[in-house]
Structures are given as structure tokens and as C-alpha cells.
Amino acid sequence: MRFYGEALDSRLMLGTAQYPSPDILSQAVRASGAGIVTVSLRREGAGTKAGQSFWSLIQGLGVRVLPNTAGCHSVRDAVTTAQMAREVFDTDWVKLEVIGESDTLMPDVFGLVEAARILHEDGFKVFPYTTEDLVVAERLLRAGCEVLMPWGAPIGSGRGLNNPWGLRAMRAHFPDVPLVVDAGIGLPSHAAAAMEMGYDAILLNSAVSQAGDPVAMAHAFKLAIEAGLAGRLADPMEPRDMASPSTPVLGRAFV
């Protein structure tokens, strides 16, 4: 799998918020085998002592950091946060969030496209948190994005894939664009289903951090993503409307 020309071994991207402790966060990241972790600059407070300790913890994990603009509700706020994150984390990768509705945390797709264009022109490699809307996806690609990250369901809801038809349509419409299901994943089976659809990776946070055993759940997601990918590559059978016996009638003994 490649994002912006860089190869990654893992197809799991893991958030770092709301874990019971820093130690459990570290264990969960390692158990997941994640190749990327997302970090919110605003939440961590990079200039504080706590923020510096957190950054040291993340550096010790040896994984790629993807800063995000979580909590930003305007283009200006998102762009400013991304620019600050580039300085703090020394990366031009950014997960771009521009929130448009507070109850569902649905992205403001108009602001998202505008912010993506500004950041692309400023040299960023943008990972946009978006919906499964194909028109918005086209606009994001034209704005310079090379990756699309449609939601499965509202952030933190754990509802899984609310619109399988829309997600399949996006995969079919953009066969050569890296696609990541971002947000709403609650169970390993949700992640496996997305991989079976042909998605390239999964980004999740709450499903692991809020589990009773985050470390065990992180490992379960690792296995689910591997299983979903393997199942897709094995060329699964097409579903049928009628039964088809696995044991042929021809040759059966009759008494």
C-alpha cells in the first residue's frame, strides 16, 4: 500500500485519543501493528509539559505520525492548525477535518475542499476526512488530494458501515485512488467488511481506546484487516438468489 508514493506495511491507522493510560496506548499500538498513528495537535498541547511527554511517547513507538485538525470548524482554523502541526511534528502529511455539524461531526464538505486546496498549494499531503459523496470526492482530487477517507458512520458511534452501497460506489468510481474508511468502525467485523469491499486501509480510534481491553481489541482489528484483505484477494464467490448444492445429486445412492 502506498500513500503519496510512500510504502507502508500495515493497513491499519490508529488514533491516540482517550486511552486509559499512556502505557495501554503504547501496548495497543504495538498489538495493532499499525503503521500510522493520528495525533491532534490541539488536544495534546504541544507546548506544554504533558504535550512534550506525549510526543516523546509517540516517537518511541517508531511509527509514522499523521497529525489531524480535529475539532476545527472553519477553513482558517483547519489551515492554521495544519501549519502548526507541520512545525511540531516535522511532517507535511495531515489528516484534514473541517467539521460542519456538531451532533454528527459530519464534515463541512465545502470548507473541506477549500482547505484542501490551500494546504496542497502550501506543500501539504492531505488526507481528507469526507463523506462517500462522489461529487465531493472529485472536487477533493482536483484540489490536490491523492487519498480519500470517507466515513463509515459518525465519529465515535461504532455503527460500522452505514452506507455500504455508497462505499462500494466510491470504490468502483475511483479504482486507482487509495481509499481509507475513517470513522464509525466499532467491531473487527466492520473493518473486515470494508477490506472485502476493496478499501485499502482502516482508520479507527474509539473502537480500541474505549474497549474493555484495548490491547486485545487492537490485536483483533489487526487480524480482521488481514483476513478481509486475504478474502478479497482470494476472489470470493458471487452471491446467488437461489441455493446451489455443494454436494451434487448425480451419483447419489438411492434405496
Side-chain angles (χ1 to χ4, degrees):
M1 183 183 64
R2 290 182 176 272
F3 290 142
Y4 289 100
E6 296 194 28
L8 296 169
D9 293 332
S10 174
R11 294 174 183 265
L12 174 58
M13 305 161 72
L14 194 62
T16 56
Q18 300 179 327
Y19 284 82
S21 71
D23 182 58
I24 290 177
L25 166 60
S26 297
Q27 292 184 55
V29 172
R30 293 190 174 96
S32 73
I36 295 175
V37 295
T38 62
V39 178
S40 170
L41 174 66
R42 176 174 296 183
R43 183 184 68 249
E44 299 309 334
T48 66
K49 183 177 180 181
Q52 292 171 354
S53 298
F54 178 84
W55 180 221
S56 296
L57 169 67
I58 296 300
Q59 286 178 308
L61 295 173
V63 295
R64 178 110 196 191
V65 173
L66 178 64
N68 68 35
T69 62
C72 293
H73 290 256
S74 70
V75 172
R76 180 177 180 180
D77 199 8
V79 170
T80 301
T81 301
Q83 291 169 339
M84 292 171 60
R86 179 166 59 182
E87 295 181 13
V88 171
F89 299 112
D90 191 28
T91 178
D92 56 6
W93 284 21
V94 64
K95 178 190 171 185
L96 179 61
E97 295 183 25
V98 183
I99 302 301
E101 205 281 322
S102 297
D103 289 334
T104 62
L105 299 180
M106 180 180 287
D108 171 2
V109 295
F110 304 101
L112 180 68
V113 172
E114 177 64 13
R117 181 189 62 77
I118 293 170
L119 291 173
H120 171 69
E121 291 175 354
D122 193 25
F124 281 88
K125 297 177 175 63
V126 180
F127 293 70
Y129 160 64
T130 184
T131 66
E132 66 275 24
D133 188 294
L134 299 182
V135 178
V136 175
E138 289 278 12
R139 298 292 190 275
L140 288 168
L141 294 174
R142 292 179 194 173
C145 298
E146 297 181 16
V147 178
L148 298 173
M149 299 176 62
W151 66 348
I155 293 173
S157 67
R159 297 184 62 86
L161 308 180
N162 272 358
N163 184 5
W165 180 88
L167 292 170
R168 288 192 185 96
M170 178 172 274
R171 178 70 285 175
H173 197 72
F174 302 106
D176 300 321
V177 176
L179 298 181
V180 181
V181 171
D182 174 18
I185 296 294
L187 296 170
S189 58
H190 299 156
M195 296 302 295
E196 289 169 356
M197 283 183 187
Y199 276 74
D200 297 288
I202 307 293
L203 196 161
L204 55 90
N205 188 157
S206 301
V208 170
S209 66
Q210 297 181 27
D213 187 339
V215 179
M217 186 61 79
H219 184 62
F221 271 104
K222 176 180 184 291
L223 298 178
I225 290 171
E226 291 174 352
L229 175 63
R232 184 179 87 222
L233 296 178
D235 191 15
M237 64 176 285
E238 293 292 330
R240 304 185 180 103
D241 292 329
M242 301 293 290
S244 177
S246 56
T247 302
V249 176
L250 186 65
R252 282 181 56 192
F254 290 91
V255 178

